[in-house]
Amino acid sequence: MTMRHFSALLLALALWPAAAGAVLTIEITEGVSGARPVAVVSFGHPDDVRPNTDIAQVVATDLARSGRFSPMAREELPARPERGGEMDMDQWRQAGQDHVLVGQVDRGADGLVIRTQLMDPYREEQVFGYRFQAPQSGLRRLGHRLADRVYEAVLDRRGAFSTSMAYVRTERETGDEPRYILAVADADGRNEQIILDSGQPLMSPAWSPDGRRVAYVSFEGGRPGLWVQTVTSGSRERIGPASESRSAPAFSPDGRYLAWTRQDGDNTDIYITDLERGGDPVRVTRHWAIDTEPAWLPSGEGLIFTSDRAGSPQLYEVELDDRARPVSNPERITFEGNYNASADVAPDGRHVALVHRNNNGFRIAVLDRERGGLEVVAETTMGESPSFAPNGDMILYAAERAGRGVLESVSSDGRARQRLGMDIGNVREPAWSPFDALTSN
């Protein structure tokens, strides 16, 4: 399953066993020693106001799963202030908390009004204060946004909790053929929206940089083909003729180009389509080997792809000009181990997440393009499809646990890990969205 595109190109896709179900849950499997202590106090509210979401719990869970914060257990909180002015700063210093988030929920003219403050007990000052307005249905999304604000205020890096992810899962009723479902959900696995439900296999979702479209592979018609679909409207377009086998789509950073793989007999090569001007695709590679899984550099000036031209799957890099045409011969960039594939490039352009095989199975690793070092960050046996968060701090990937597909994430330094599992069924092929993805009207 890890080399999914090699399998697809050879038309040897394995059908995943499946069962019904779509509820994703979070299990934090590894924490980080030295994570920043933070207290998130339950938001107060009048008796006649009953929020349907515990905003503070959403914030605390988000911060905990980043691995960079250690929220204080609710039952250990020394007090439950609703405003910064109610806090005894010495009390929170003695509790060892670097920051304390407090807030209140009240009724507004149009929905609910949420006021919140992040306090620094050591400096005895307010870090930020915000006033939000949201309907009951928007409180969970608000919690993610608030976690982003805390993350950025403390770490000076944009948080990615209010982003989304795309993935493919399978469902099967007893005795029926499997259904393949392309879906998007919040980054914590909640609020799933089905994008496409098909009786044919779906693979390789890839976000456009504006977060409005998803490219993917569908086997409708009996062979792999490329489609680009608008998330909110459901409108979709096939990229290329139905007579060709195409797979492994990847949008360029400006959204103008789509890189992909074409199978022609026993040969596969990488091509690029100009989505704005059309015309014939540009051929990027010309080799008898399998060249697949293109991933763009953030600058748009090159691709990293998987090739077995050296006898086993390894990563290669090719330079492109400003019209997405190759201007160099591909150069190999991975040399440690006999299997490195499925690249995803971090926003900094320096680090590359990939699937690395060693004696114990398929691991998730990170390659440093500048220094050349490769570090395993997730010890899995069947890891696949790594995808960086848009801030580069976390990596989402698929794994197999107890015979079923689950999604997991790991901090980019490998120190914190969590599992997003479905209650039943299989989920694969994750892709983390860019910032500000538009997933609902």
Side-chain angles (χ1 to χ4, degrees):
M1 284 299 300
T2 301
M3 285 306 293
R4 62 197 187 282
H5 297 130
F6 277 73
S7 300
L9 294 167
L10 297 174
L11 301 181
L13 179 72
L15 299 180
W16 306 323
V23 179
L24 290 168
T25 56
I26 296 174
E27 175 189 354
I28 298 175
T29 56
E30 294 182 24
V32 175
S33 59
R36 295 171 182 264
V38 60
V40 184
V41 183
S42 299
F43 287 14
H45 56 84
D47 292 340
D48 62 341
V49 175
R50 298 183 180 275
N52 63 5
T53 299
D54 187 337
I55 300 173
Q57 187 60 56
V58 173
V59 174
T61 301
D62 281 349
L63 296 177
R65 65 189 178 89
S66 75
R68 288 165 169 77
F69 291 86
S70 178
M72 192 175 197
R74 187 167 287 186
E75 62 272 15
E76 296 177 2
L77 295 173
R80 296 179 183 271
E82 298 180 9
R83 297 170 179 82
E86 300 172 0
M87 291 175 55
D88 180 341
M89 296 298 184
D90 185 59
Q91 185 180 44
W92 291 98
R93 287 194 296 269
Q94 292 182 24
Q97 300 305 298
D98 290 351
H99 295 89
V100 181
L101 185 72
V102 296
Q104 323 92 47
V105 182
D106 208 342
R107 196 180 309 280
D110 185 17
L112 299 175
V113 173
I114 301 91
R115 296 178 176 86
T116 182
Q117 297 166 279
L118 181 66
M119 306 299 297
D120 184 331
Y122 290 91
R123 295 184 176 180
E124 298 192 4
E125 64 183 18
Q126 176 179 296
V127 179
F128 68 60
Y130 291 109
R131 178 186 184 277
F132 302 98
Q133 187 161 317
Q136 288 274 11
S137 60
L139 294 184
R140 174 167 288 276
R141 180 65 59 89
L142 176 62
H144 295 319
R145 290 171 54 199
L146 186 51
D148 286 341
R149 302 287 178 92
V150 174
Y151 194 92
E152 184 169 8
V154 176
L155 301 180
D156 197 28
R157 292 178 60 83
R158 187 173 180 181
F161 305 115
S162 57
T163 55
S164 301
M165 61 178 177
Y167 52 88
V168 176
R169 62 178 175 85
T170 54
E171 289 185 354
R172 187 193 311 224
E173 299 293 340
T174 304
D176 291 341
E177 292 296 318
R179 303 293 304 177
Y180 298 85
I181 296 172
L182 173 62
V184 299
D186 294 346
D188 66 350
R190 300 292 292 268
N191 297 327
E192 181 188 75
Q193 299 178 55
I194 294 176
I195 303 303
L196 184 65
D197 185 337
S198 175
Q200 300 299 320
L202 301 172
M203 300 175 66
S204 309
W207 290 89
S208 64
D210 63 5
R212 296 174 180 270
R213 297 171 293 166
V214 173
Y216 56 88
V217 176
S218 172
F219 276 70
E220 55 195 88
R223 68 173 70 234
L226 295 183
W227 294 82
V228 173
Q229 183 163 333
T230 302
V231 174
T232 54
S233 70
S235 62
R236 64 184 193 138
E237 174 188 7
R238 184 166 196 145
I239 307 299
S243 58
E244 289 187 2
S245 294
R246 299 186 176 192
S247 62
F251 282 97
S252 64
D254 62 3
R256 175 175 174 176
Y257 300 102
L258 188 73
W260 46 275
T261 299
R262 175 184 174 185
Q263 179 191 10
D264 187 6
D266 293 332
N267 180 249
T268 61
D269 278 299
I270 293 172
Y271 292 77
I272 293 177
T273 293
D274 188 329
L275 297 175
E276 292 183 2
R277 296 185 178 181
D280 294 334
V282 172
R283 187 171 183 173
V284 178
T285 63
R286 295 178 181 271
H287 201 277
W288 53 263
I290 295 177
D291 296 336
T292 187
E293 299 180 326
W296 292 83
L297 298 179
S299 65
E301 297 175 348
L303 292 174
I304 293 176
F305 64 94
T306 304
S307 177
D308 65 351
R309 61 183 63 194
S312 67
Q314 297 292 338
L315 296 186
Y316 291 75
E317 184 173 329
V318 60
E319 293 182 27
L320 304 175
D321 64 16
D322 58 3
R323 296 176 62 186
R325 297 174 301 187
V327 294
S328 70
N329 292 321
E331 294 186 2
R332 182 172 170 177
I333 62 172
T334 53
F335 298 92
E336 184 176 335
N338 62 3
Y339 187 107
N340 295 288
S342 302
D344 188 57
V345 187
D348 63 9
R350 174 175 174 173
H351 297 95
V352 180
L354 57 97
V355 176
H356 169 74
R357 184 173 65 191
N358 58 22
N359 294 333
N360 297 319
F362 295 95
R363 308 312 203 206
I364 304 301
V366 173
L367 171 72
D368 187 326
R369 292 176 62 229
E370 294 183 5
R371 298 183 178 179
L374 189 148
E375 179 183 1
V376 173
V377 295
E379 294 284 350
T380 67
T381 56
M382 290 296 291
E384 63 177 55
S385 308
S387 177
F388 271 106
N391 63 3
D393 288 351
M394 298 288 291
I395 302 169
L396 181 67
Y397 61 94
E400 187 173 299
R401 304 290 179 185
R404 66 184 181 91
V406 299
L407 299 186
E408 298 182 349
S409 66
V410 63
S411 58
S412 55
D413 59 10
R415 297 192 304 161
R417 190 163 140 196
Q418 64 172 310
R419 182 173 304 144
L420 288 78
M422 298 182 70
D423 52 353
I424 49 177
N426 283 264
V427 58
R428 303 275 187 180
E429 308 272 351
W432 211 315
S433 81
F435 289 118
D436 305 318
L438 185 62
T439 58
S440 60
N441 290 311

